[in-house]
Amino acid sequence: MSVNITPGQHGGFSETGLRRVRDVLARHVESGKIPGLVALVSRGGHAHVEAIGTMRHGGGAPMRRDTIFRMASTTKPVTMAAAMVLLDECRLRLDDLVEPWLPELADRQVLKRVDGPLEDTIPARRPITVRDLVTSTFGLGMDLTALGTPIMDAVFERGIFSQSATAVAAPDEWMRQLATLPLMHQPGEHWQYQISNDLLGVLIARVTGQSFDTFLHERIFGPLGMKDTGFHVPAGKIDRLPPCYTPNPQTGEFTVWDEAVGGQYSTPPAFPSGGGGLVSTVDDYHAYFRMLLNGGIHEGERILSRPAVELMTTNCLTPEQNAARNDLARNNVHISFGQGQHGGWGYGMAVRTYRGDYAPIGQFGWDGGTGTTVYADPHNGLVGVLLTQVGLSLPAPAQLIHDFWTTLYQAIDD
């Protein structure tokens, strides 16, 4: 399925290159490891869409351009816009302490050793700031290299992070549980994954007096026309949501992680996760990332200030803050399947600071554990979105993501 490309006009992509994009994506579907996918690539005002395969493993309805996917961690770059709205309006400042809105985070204790007992702590050197949350450096987060330690076990046991959206408590209870845990690192010391973004959702709700979901719809989704984006799929659209699979890492056998009807995303969650809770479509995400490429403007309407966009999409980590992240990406490829080798991190997304593959320095975006990827590239004026329904329990979705970006870049024709 190819859309919006007229003969002789390929929006800065070669016809041969676009054919290779389709052929490589189709090869992954034909392998049997990816039931279906939807991809969108654009330059300037031209978009090209491929919908290949089926909604379910083993057959069923075909993938369509308006299929709705669980965005997982590709939620992060989008929900960060809500924080930027509050910074633009001076309702938050980067170096404000978060304690007035998040009193649960006052007087933090920090583990003496990341793998040590939870009670073996020292006081935090300083309070937690808004900057610590937007840069994911407040001191606690998911660490795949620390699985099995007391602190990571406690994060899972207390529902601070869950692989099931329905298992997370409502925000106030979630904060109460979080407050029982020490930090893993001193505030501002280390980049750590996920929990900062979920905390931001709670902060935004408390600052605005609205639910995080409502604020996002009013200030981001509505103005951008992101009509299929939210934290659940209404009953009238549930037929557009495929099941989500996490293949068995040992056997490769397809296991359903979440069904559509009656599943985790069929009703509004108690906790709208800024770290991984959105559902969306290729067109909705394209609208958001084109807005970022346009310096915060969508169809003549300003959504974010240009400096806010520049701040989000520029590396903001020191080498010391970023060391653990780079170490995971480069030296634990058996855990990350080679994902995350970008060099830098902005607000809620990766930023390329060195030329490690086909993408140029300055490209920004992120990937999701349900087999999603979305990046924008200011140098080439390019956006790419690839959505699947297969989780990263095996290398296959990560390999698909790598091949999508390689073929997208080889298709550029100026």
Short mmCIF file of all heavy atoms in Angstrom, two decimals, residues 269-317:
data_model
loop_
_atom_site.label_atom_id
_atom_site.label_comp_id
_atom_site.label_asym_id
_atom_site.label_seq_id
_atom_site.Cartn_x
_atom_site.Cartn_y
_atom_site.Cartn_z
N PRO A 269 -6.71 3.83 31.75
CA PRO A 269 -5.92 3.26 32.84
C PRO A 269 -6.01 4.12 34.10
O PRO A 269 -6.27 5.33 34.02
CB PRO A 269 -4.50 3.29 32.27
CG PRO A 269 -4.50 4.49 31.36
CD PRO A 269 -5.88 4.52 30.74
N ALA A 270 -5.78 3.50 35.24
CA ALA A 270 -5.72 4.26 36.49
C ALA A 270 -4.53 5.22 36.47
O ALA A 270 -4.60 6.32 37.02
CB ALA A 270 -5.59 3.31 37.68
N PHE A 271 -3.45 4.78 35.82
CA PHE A 271 -2.23 5.58 35.76
C PHE A 271 -1.87 5.85 34.30
O PHE A 271 -1.42 4.96 33.59
CB PHE A 271 -1.08 4.84 36.44
CG PHE A 271 0.18 5.67 36.58
CD1 PHE A 271 0.40 6.41 37.73
CD2 PHE A 271 1.13 5.71 35.57
CE1 PHE A 271 1.55 7.18 37.87
CE2 PHE A 271 2.27 6.47 35.69
CZ PHE A 271 2.49 7.21 36.85
N PRO A 272 -2.07 7.09 33.81
CA PRO A 272 -1.65 7.41 32.44
C PRO A 272 -0.14 7.58 32.38
O PRO A 272 0.41 8.55 32.89
CB PRO A 272 -2.40 8.71 32.14
CG PRO A 272 -2.70 9.31 33.46
CD PRO A 272 -2.75 8.21 34.47
N SER A 273 0.54 6.62 31.79
CA SER A 273 1.99 6.55 31.85
C SER A 273 2.64 7.44 30.79
O SER A 273 2.54 7.17 29.60
CB SER A 273 2.46 5.11 31.65
OG SER A 273 3.86 5.06 31.41
N GLY A 274 3.32 8.48 31.27
CA GLY A 274 4.08 9.33 30.36
C GLY A 274 5.31 8.64 29.80
O GLY A 274 5.89 9.09 28.82
N GLY A 275 5.69 7.53 30.42
CA GLY A 275 6.84 6.79 29.95
C GLY A 275 6.52 5.77 28.88
O GLY A 275 7.40 5.37 28.13
N GLY A 276 5.25 5.31 28.80
CA GLY A 276 4.98 4.25 27.84
C GLY A 276 3.53 3.91 27.59
O GLY A 276 3.24 2.82 27.12
N GLY A 277 2.59 4.82 27.88
CA GLY A 277 1.19 4.42 27.87
C GLY A 277 0.35 4.78 26.67
O GLY A 277 -0.83 4.42 26.62
N LEU A 278 0.90 5.48 25.68
CA LEU A 278 0.06 5.97 24.59
C LEU A 278 -0.22 4.90 23.54
O LEU A 278 0.56 3.96 23.33
CB LEU A 278 0.71 7.16 23.89
CG LEU A 278 0.73 8.48 24.66
CD1 LEU A 278 1.45 9.54 23.84
CD2 LEU A 278 -0.68 8.94 25.03
N VAL A 279 -1.36 5.06 22.88
CA VAL A 279 -1.67 4.36 21.63
C VAL A 279 -1.79 5.42 20.55
O VAL A 279 -2.17 6.56 20.81
CB VAL A 279 -2.97 3.54 21.71
CG1 VAL A 279 -2.82 2.38 22.67
CG2 VAL A 279 -4.15 4.42 22.13
N SER A 280 -1.45 5.05 19.30
CA SER A 280 -1.48 6.06 18.24
C SER A 280 -1.36 5.41 16.87
O SER A 280 -1.35 4.19 16.74
CB SER A 280 -0.35 7.08 18.45
OG SER A 280 -0.53 8.22 17.63
N THR A 281 -1.27 6.27 15.85
CA THR A 281 -1.16 5.84 14.44
C THR A 281 0.04 6.53 13.80
O THR A 281 0.58 7.50 14.33
CB THR A 281 -2.42 6.24 13.66
OG1 THR A 281 -2.53 7.68 13.66
CG2 THR A 281 -3.68 5.63 14.27
N VAL A 282 0.40 6.04 12.61
CA VAL A 282 1.54 6.66 11.90
C VAL A 282 1.25 8.12 11.57
O VAL A 282 2.14 8.98 11.66
CB VAL A 282 1.92 5.89 10.62
CG1 VAL A 282 2.54 4.54 10.96
CG2 VAL A 282 0.76 5.75 9.65
N ASP A 283 0.02 8.44 11.19
CA ASP A 283 -0.29 9.82 10.81
C ASP A 283 -0.27 10.77 12.00
O ASP A 283 0.20 11.91 11.90
CB ASP A 283 -1.64 9.90 10.10
CG ASP A 283 -1.54 9.43 8.65
OD1 ASP A 283 -0.84 10.10 7.87
OD2 ASP A 283 -2.15 8.40 8.32
N ASP A 284 -0.76 10.31 13.15
CA ASP A 284 -0.72 11.16 14.35
C ASP A 284 0.71 11.46 14.76
O ASP A 284 1.08 12.60 15.08
CB ASP A 284 -1.47 10.49 15.50
CG ASP A 284 -2.98 10.65 15.41
OD1 ASP A 284 -3.46 11.15 14.36
OD2 ASP A 284 -3.67 10.27 16.37
N TYR A 285 1.55 10.43 14.77
CA TYR A 285 2.94 10.65 15.17
C TYR A 285 3.69 11.49 14.13
O TYR A 285 4.57 12.30 14.47
CB TYR A 285 3.64 9.32 15.44
CG TYR A 285 3.75 9.04 16.93
CD1 TYR A 285 2.60 8.95 17.71
CD2 TYR A 285 4.97 8.88 17.55
CE1 TYR A 285 2.67 8.71 19.07
CE2 TYR A 285 5.06 8.63 18.92
CZ TYR A 285 3.91 8.56 19.67
OH TYR A 285 3.99 8.34 21.02
N HIS A 286 3.34 11.30 12.88
CA HIS A 286 3.94 12.13 11.84
C HIS A 286 3.62 13.60 12.08
O HIS A 286 4.49 14.48 11.97
CB HIS A 286 3.42 11.69 10.46
CG HIS A 286 3.97 12.48 9.33
ND1 HIS A 286 3.16 13.08 8.39
CD2 HIS A 286 5.24 12.80 8.98
CE1 HIS A 286 3.92 13.72 7.51
NE2 HIS A 286 5.18 13.56 7.85
N ALA A 287 2.38 13.90 12.45
CA ALA A 287 1.99 15.29 12.72
C ALA A 287 2.84 15.87 13.86
O ALA A 287 3.29 17.03 13.77
CB ALA A 287 0.51 15.37 13.08
N TYR A 288 3.06 15.09 14.90
CA TYR A 288 3.84 15.58 16.04
C TYR A 288 5.29 15.85 15.64
O TYR A 288 5.85 16.92 15.94
CB TYR A 288 3.79 14.58 17.19
CG TYR A 288 4.60 15.02 18.38
CD1 TYR A 288 4.14 16.03 19.23
CD2 TYR A 288 5.85 14.47 18.65
CE1 TYR A 288 4.90 16.46 20.31
CE2 TYR A 288 6.62 14.89 19.72
CZ TYR A 288 6.13 15.89 20.55
OH TYR A 288 6.90 16.31 21.61
N PHE A 289 5.92 14.90 14.97
CA PHE A 289 7.33 15.07 14.63
C PHE A 289 7.54 16.11 13.53
O PHE A 289 8.58 16.78 13.50
CB PHE A 289 7.97 13.72 14.30
CG PHE A 289 8.46 13.01 15.53
CD1 PHE A 289 7.58 12.34 16.36
CD2 PHE A 289 9.80 13.04 15.88
CE1 PHE A 289 8.02 11.72 17.51
CE2 PHE A 289 10.25 12.42 17.03
CZ PHE A 289 9.36 11.76 17.85
N ARG A 290 6.59 16.30 12.64
CA ARG A 290 6.69 17.39 11.67
C ARG A 290 6.60 18.73 12.40
O ARG A 290 7.28 19.69 12.03
CB ARG A 290 5.60 17.30 10.61
CG ARG A 290 5.76 16.17 9.65
CD ARG A 290 6.19 16.48 8.25
NE ARG A 290 7.03 17.62 8.01
CZ ARG A 290 8.23 17.55 7.43
NH1 ARG A 290 8.75 16.38 7.12
NH2 ARG A 290 8.92 18.62 7.17
N MET A 291 5.77 18.81 13.43
CA MET A 291 5.71 20.03 14.23
C MET A 291 7.08 20.34 14.83
O MET A 291 7.53 21.50 14.83
CB MET A 291 4.64 19.87 15.32
CG MET A 291 4.51 21.07 16.26
SD MET A 291 5.61 20.98 17.71
CE MET A 291 4.89 19.63 18.64
N LEU A 292 7.76 19.31 15.36
CA LEU A 292 9.09 19.55 15.91
C LEU A 292 10.06 20.02 14.82
O LEU A 292 10.84 20.96 15.04
CB LEU A 292 9.63 18.28 16.56
CG LEU A 292 8.87 17.75 17.79
CD1 LEU A 292 9.58 16.51 18.35
CD2 LEU A 292 8.72 18.80 18.88
N LEU A 293 10.01 19.39 13.65
CA LEU A 293 10.88 19.83 12.54
C LEU A 293 10.58 21.26 12.13
O LEU A 293 11.48 21.99 11.68
CB LEU A 293 10.71 18.92 11.32
CG LEU A 293 11.49 17.61 11.26
CD1 LEU A 293 11.31 16.97 9.89
CD2 LEU A 293 12.96 17.82 11.55
N ASN A 294 9.33 21.68 12.28
CA ASN A 294 8.92 23.03 11.91
C ASN A 294 9.14 24.04 13.03
O ASN A 294 8.58 25.14 13.00
CB ASN A 294 7.44 23.05 11.50
CG ASN A 294 7.20 22.32 10.19
OD1 ASN A 294 8.10 22.20 9.36
ND2 ASN A 294 5.99 21.81 10.01
N GLY A 295 9.93 23.67 14.03
CA GLY A 295 10.25 24.60 15.10
C GLY A 295 9.10 24.90 16.02
O GLY A 295 9.04 25.97 16.64
N GLY A 296 8.14 23.95 16.14
CA GLY A 296 7.03 24.11 17.08
C GLY A 296 5.73 24.56 16.46
O GLY A 296 4.74 24.75 17.17
N ILE A 297 5.69 24.71 15.13
CA ILE A 297 4.49 25.20 14.45
C ILE A 297 3.83 24.07 13.67
O ILE A 297 4.50 23.28 12.99
CB ILE A 297 4.83 26.37 13.52
CG1 ILE A 297 5.28 27.59 14.33
CG2 ILE A 297 3.65 26.74 12.62
CD1 ILE A 297 5.75 28.75 13.51
N HIS A 298 2.51 24.00 13.75
CA HIS A 298 1.71 23.05 12.98
C HIS A 298 0.61 23.80 12.25
O HIS A 298 -0.25 24.42 12.88
CB HIS A 298 1.08 22.00 13.92
CG HIS A 298 0.11 21.07 13.24
ND1 HIS A 298 0.50 20.07 12.39
CD2 HIS A 298 -1.25 21.02 13.28
CE1 HIS A 298 -0.56 19.43 11.95
NE2 HIS A 298 -1.64 19.99 12.46
N GLU A 299 0.67 23.77 10.91
CA GLU A 299 -0.34 24.41 10.07
C GLU A 299 -0.61 25.85 10.52
O GLU A 299 -1.75 26.28 10.65
CB GLU A 299 -1.62 23.58 10.04
CG GLU A 299 -1.42 22.21 9.39
CD GLU A 299 -2.68 21.39 9.33
OE1 GLU A 299 -3.72 21.82 9.90
OE2 GLU A 299 -2.65 20.30 8.71
N GLY A 300 0.47 26.58 10.77
CA GLY A 300 0.36 27.99 11.12
C GLY A 300 0.10 28.27 12.58
O GLY A 300 0.14 29.43 13.00
N GLU A 301 -0.16 27.24 13.37
CA GLU A 301 -0.43 27.43 14.80
C GLU A 301 0.79 27.01 15.61
O GLU A 301 1.34 25.92 15.42
CB GLU A 301 -1.65 26.61 15.24
CG GLU A 301 -1.98 26.79 16.71
CD GLU A 301 -3.21 25.99 17.15
OE1 GLU A 301 -3.86 25.36 16.29
OE2 GLU A 301 -3.49 25.99 18.36
N ARG A 302 1.21 27.87 16.52
CA ARG A 302 2.36 27.54 17.36
C ARG A 302 1.92 26.64 18.52
O ARG A 302 1.05 27.01 19.29
CB ARG A 302 3.05 28.80 17.89
CG ARG A 302 4.25 28.46 18.75
CD ARG A 302 5.23 29.59 18.89
NE ARG A 302 5.94 29.95 17.66
CZ ARG A 302 6.93 29.23 17.12
NH1 ARG A 302 7.32 28.09 17.70
NH2 ARG A 302 7.51 29.62 16.01
N ILE A 303 2.55 25.48 18.62
CA ILE A 303 2.28 24.52 19.69
C ILE A 303 3.31 24.68 20.80
O ILE A 303 2.98 24.72 21.98
CB ILE A 303 2.31 23.08 19.14
CG1 ILE A 303 1.43 22.93 17.90
CG2 ILE A 303 1.90 22.09 20.23
CD1 ILE A 303 -0.03 23.19 18.11
N LEU A 304 4.58 24.77 20.41
CA LEU A 304 5.70 24.96 21.34
C LEU A 304 6.59 26.06 20.78
O LEU A 304 6.65 26.28 19.57
CB LEU A 304 6.52 23.68 21.48
CG LEU A 304 5.85 22.44 22.06
CD1 LEU A 304 6.79 21.25 21.97
CD2 LEU A 304 5.43 22.68 23.50
N SER A 305 7.32 26.74 21.66
CA SER A 305 8.26 27.74 21.19
C SER A 305 9.44 27.06 20.50
O SER A 305 9.76 25.90 20.78
CB SER A 305 8.78 28.58 22.36
OG SER A 305 9.64 27.81 23.18
N ARG A 306 10.09 27.80 19.60
CA ARG A 306 11.27 27.24 18.94
C ARG A 306 12.36 26.86 19.95
O ARG A 306 12.94 25.76 19.86
CB ARG A 306 11.81 28.21 17.90
CG ARG A 306 13.04 27.69 17.15
CD ARG A 306 13.51 28.65 16.09
NE ARG A 306 12.55 28.75 15.00
CZ ARG A 306 12.46 27.89 13.99
NH1 ARG A 306 13.29 26.85 13.96
NH2 ARG A 306 11.57 28.04 13.04
N PRO A 307 12.66 27.73 20.94
CA PRO A 307 13.68 27.31 21.93
C PRO A 307 13.29 26.06 22.70
O PRO A 307 14.17 25.26 23.06
CB PRO A 307 13.79 28.53 22.86
CG PRO A 307 13.35 29.68 22.02
CD PRO A 307 12.27 29.14 21.13
N ALA A 308 12.01 25.86 22.98
CA ALA A 308 11.58 24.63 23.67
C ALA A 308 11.90 23.41 22.83
O ALA A 308 12.41 22.40 23.33
CB ALA A 308 10.09 24.69 23.99
N VAL A 309 11.59 23.49 21.52
CA VAL A 309 11.88 22.37 20.62
C VAL A 309 13.39 22.14 20.54
O VAL A 309 13.86 21.00 20.59
CB VAL A 309 11.29 22.64 19.22
CG1 VAL A 309 11.74 21.56 18.24
CG2 VAL A 309 9.76 22.69 19.29
N GLU A 310 14.15 23.21 20.44
CA GLU A 310 15.61 23.07 20.36
C GLU A 310 16.17 22.43 21.62
O GLU A 310 17.10 21.61 21.57
CB GLU A 310 16.24 24.44 20.11
CG GLU A 310 15.95 24.98 18.71
CD GLU A 310 16.36 26.43 18.53
OE1 GLU A 310 16.67 27.09 19.56
OE2 GLU A 310 16.37 26.90 17.38
N LEU A 311 15.62 22.78 22.77
CA LEU A 311 16.07 22.20 24.03
C LEU A 311 15.75 20.71 24.09
O LEU A 311 16.59 19.89 24.48
CB LEU A 311 15.40 22.94 25.19
CG LEU A 311 15.90 22.68 26.61
CD1 LEU A 311 17.40 22.94 26.72
CD2 LEU A 311 15.13 23.55 27.60
N MET A 312 14.54 20.34 23.68
CA MET A 312 14.14 18.93 23.68
C MET A 312 15.03 18.08 22.80
O MET A 312 15.29 16.92 23.11
CB MET A 312 12.70 18.79 23.16
CG MET A 312 11.62 19.36 24.03
SD MET A 312 10.05 19.35 23.12
CE MET A 312 9.64 17.61 23.15
N THR A 313 15.47 18.66 21.68
CA THR A 313 16.09 17.87 20.62
C THR A 313 17.60 18.08 20.54
O THR A 313 18.23 17.77 19.52
CB THR A 313 15.44 18.21 19.27
OG1 THR A 313 15.59 19.61 18.99
CG2 THR A 313 13.96 17.86 19.28
N THR A 314 18.19 18.60 21.61
CA THR A 314 19.64 18.78 21.73
C THR A 314 20.13 17.90 22.87
O THR A 314 19.46 17.78 23.90
CB THR A 314 19.97 20.26 22.04
OG1 THR A 314 19.46 21.08 20.99
CG2 THR A 314 21.47 20.46 22.15
N ASN A 315 21.30 17.29 22.70
CA ASN A 315 21.86 16.51 23.81
C ASN A 315 22.02 17.41 25.03
O ASN A 315 22.60 18.49 24.96
CB ASN A 315 23.21 15.91 23.42
CG ASN A 315 23.87 15.20 24.59
OD1 ASN A 315 23.23 14.39 25.26
ND2 ASN A 315 25.12 15.53 24.86
N CYS A 316 21.51 16.96 26.16
CA CYS A 316 21.58 17.77 27.39
C CYS A 316 22.32 17.05 28.50
O CYS A 316 22.32 17.52 29.64
CB CYS A 316 20.16 18.14 27.85
SG CYS A 316 19.16 16.72 28.25
N LEU A 317 22.95 15.93 28.19
CA LEU A 317 23.65 15.16 29.22
C LEU A 317 25.15 15.40 29.16
O LEU A 317 25.73 15.53 28.07
CB LEU A 317 23.39 13.67 29.04
CG LEU A 317 21.94 13.17 29.17
CD1 LEU A 317 21.91 11.66 29.03
CD2 LEU A 317 21.32 13.61 30.48
#
